[in-house]
Amino acid sequence: MHGVVGKPAALTNGKVANGKVADGTNAATTRTMLLLLVAMTGVAPISLYMLVPALPLLVTSFNSDISIAQMTVSLYMVGIACSQILMGPLSDRYGRRPVLLAGLSLMVVASAACIFAETLPQLIAARFFQALGGASGMVISRAIIRDLYHRERISSMISLVIAVMMIAQMLSPLTGGLLETAFGWRSIFYVTTAGSLAVAVAIALALPETRRVRLQPSGFRGDVGNLLTSRAFIGYVLCQVLASQIIFTFAGGAPYIVITHMGRTGAEYGAWFALIGFAYLVGNLFCVRFAPRHSLERLIWFGLALQLAGSFLNLVCGLTGLNQMPGWLFGTQMIVMFANAFVMSNSAAGAISVRPEAAGTASGAMGFLQMGLGSFLSQFGAYLGGHFTTPAPLNAAVFVLSLACASTMVFIIPRRNVVVSEELIEQAEEETGMV
């Protein structure tokens, strides 16, 4: 039975039981839990974007080339991808708390190492380990949400966490730029060290262990085998990953189109790009509102239809020449990004709900594919934006990705013909040995 979920695990001796902490307070709905989820999810990407404004200064400070300085960002993304595939399975085996605390401790140490880096290779290596540890929060936060919430509530919580986190992410380049201007580039790492340490302490004090007790442990190989034989898991993961590649592809090519071919300034490009980020934020907020009343499959279909329509309109504008103006290029892309929020959060919820006891492994595989393919698709988007005088090839790539994303829902994900009731959930728990 695909997509059947168990109830939140019981809290005994600091663990979660039936979604409630020991004193009877609903941990899944407390403001503290939401803040912890946002903090652990955002600590790695915020640290990524804070350094971007200081890249030119790194070149002069270390008397190096911009391509070498750029590795402080590119290898950071590699670290995030590696962390996804490592930390998820580890959290399934050893628990969410210890793996999360170990990852954040690594980030604290690596962030401090960035402060005292004397050469650019030292800084690049420290940044890799900073991402490797910090990204544990990205993958484990999704697993924790799966531990605490029923299937139809997961997407709304993922959307809520993303919405709050995006506000911080949108402000992080500005924060990094102000710190670099006022105190130098090393001040950025003083802040990230203090921030990651604060998140680690908060998790140590306030986050209960949420991992389910497994009566029949299967190990990493068993979890991977069970997931890879599930059409539902493969379909949801492909849907989520392909939807995320729309963002990477467009972000890779848009700067060249706007600045090089349209002759606009970098500041103007930043303002236009902020608009599509805002559209994605609004999409997540709408998803939070509608998810409790609609199934995740229905929300995915809505997002896919709107995403396909927006990308087709984007392509038509590119072929007719309308997209030679930033307003048309980003206006149509805003429709795509609004819809993209529905597709990504709900397909992620579906993927980690296929086998709840392997939520960490599922989340890690999804994150690894997302970041791994993203590094290639962003380069491909940059090629399309930099080697053509029209945005039409980039628009076509976005449309093809939208079409491929919709195809996974049509051809791979099986239709659910049953309504998941409390009785069926309890029956599934007894059959699979879950508690």
Side-chain angles (χ1 to χ4, degrees):
M1 172 191 255
H2 294 294
V4 175
V5 303
K7 295 179 180 178
L11 176 73
T12 53
N13 299 321
K15 296 185 179 180
V16 169
N18 297 324
K20 298 182 179 181
V21 293
D23 61 2
T25 305
N26 193 324
T29 58
T30 62
R31 187 174 300 176
T32 300
M33 181 62 70
L34 175 61
L35 291 175
L36 287 174
L37 290 169
V38 170
M40 72 177 74
T41 304
V43 66
I46 288 173
S47 298
L48 167 64
Y49 294 118
M50 282 186 69
L51 187 64
V52 171
L55 289 180
L57 187 60
L58 293 180
V59 175
T60 58
S61 296
F62 291 105
N63 193 24
S64 183
D65 186 78
I66 186 64
S67 60
I68 304 298
Q70 184 68 28
M71 293 180 69
T72 59
V73 173
S74 57
L75 278 186
Y76 191 98
M77 295 182 67
V78 173
I80 291 179
C82 293
S83 180
Q84 303 278 302
I85 203 66
L86 289 173
M87 299 300 184
L90 288 175
S91 73
D92 283 337
R93 182 175 180 83
Y94 298 107
R96 315 301 185 207
R97 268 175 55 89
V99 176
L100 185 56
L101 289 172
L104 291 174
S105 298
L106 175 60
M107 183 179 186
V108 171
V109 174
S111 298
C114 290
I115 298 174
F116 302 103
E118 297 181 354
T119 65
L120 197 51
Q122 289 178 0
L123 180 62
I124 292 169
R127 284 280 286 176
F128 173 80
F129 286 105
Q130 186 186 35
L132 188 67
S136 59
M138 298 174 64
V139 59
I140 295 176
S141 64
R142 290 190 294 258
I144 290 174
I145 290 173
R146 179 60 197 87
D147 294 336
L148 294 174
Y149 288 89
H150 294 305
R151 184 177 190 268
E152 304 301 335
R153 288 287 314 280
I154 296 171
S155 63
S156 64
M157 284 307 301
I158 291 177
S159 296
L160 185 58
V161 169
I162 291 174
V164 178
M165 184 194 70
M166 278 199 66
I167 297 174
Q169 272 188 219
M170 291 168 68
L171 295 175
S172 57
L174 174 61
T175 304
L178 292 174
L179 286 171
E180 179 267 316
T181 301
F183 306 106
W185 64 266
R186 294 184 191 272
S187 65
I188 295 173
F189 295 110
Y190 279 103
V191 172
T192 55
T193 301
S196 54
L197 179 60
V199 173
V201 171
I203 288 171
L205 294 176
L207 182 71
E209 177 58 63
T210 64
R211 182 179 61 116
R212 300 162 183 269
V213 178
R214 301 175 67 169
L215 298 181
Q216 299 176 349
S218 59
F220 175 70
R221 285 187 180 180
D223 287 341
V224 171
N226 289 328
L227 290 171
L228 292 180
T229 56
S230 168
R231 280 183 57 198
F233 173 75
I234 293 173
Y236 283 127
V237 166
L238 287 177
C239 187
Q240 199 272 351
V241 170
L242 288 170
S244 70
Q245 300 315 298
I246 292 174
I247 302 175
F248 285 111
T249 304
F250 186 81
Y256 297 95
I257 291 173
V258 174
I259 297 173
T260 303
H261 301 308
M262 296 183 181
R264 307 304 174 102
T265 65
E268 184 176 350
Y269 164 75
W272 283 111
F273 195 81
L275 283 178
I276 65 172
F278 179 74
Y280 184 75
L281 171 64
V282 172
N284 277 288
L285 293 176
F286 270 82
C287 191
V288 171
R289 181 176 182 84
F290 293 126
R293 298 194 296 271
H294 301 279
S295 68
L296 64 85
E297 284 86 1
R298 179 175 295 181
L299 293 176
I300 292 174
W301 279 115
F302 168 78
L304 288 172
L306 188 59
Q307 182 175 269
L308 200 57
S311 60
F312 179 73
L313 179 62
N314 205 341
L315 177 59
V316 169
C317 290
L319 293 174
T320 57
L322 288 175
N323 271 2
Q324 294 295 337
M325 298 293 291
W328 285 98
L329 176 65
F330 286 93
T332 51
Q333 188 66 21
M334 286 179 69
I335 301 174
V336 177
M337 293 303 296
F338 176 86
N340 190 268
F342 281 82
V343 178
M344 286 187 63
S345 60
N346 286 282
S347 55
I352 62 178
S353 296
V354 171
R355 289 192 65 84
E357 71 277 17
T361 302
S363 178
M366 184 166 53
F368 176 78
L369 289 174
Q370 179 178 319
M371 297 302 298
L373 288 177
S375 62
F376 291 103
L377 267 292
S378 62
Q379 289 295 114
F380 178 63
Y383 173 82
L384 295 178
H387 289 76
F388 295 90
T389 58
T390 170
L394 182 64
N395 301 147
V398 170
F399 177 72
V400 170
L401 285 170
S402 298
L403 193 62
C405 190
S407 298
T408 63
M409 195 70 179
V410 175
F411 298 111
I412 300 179
I413 299 175
R415 302 292 182 270
R416 291 202 305 155
N417 297 319
V418 297
V419 176
V420 180
S421 64
E422 291 294 323
E423 291 75 13
L424 285 175
I425 291 173
E426 293 176 357
Q427 179 184 349
E429 288 177 345
E430 293 173 358
E431 291 174 351
T432 59
M434 297 188 314
V435 296

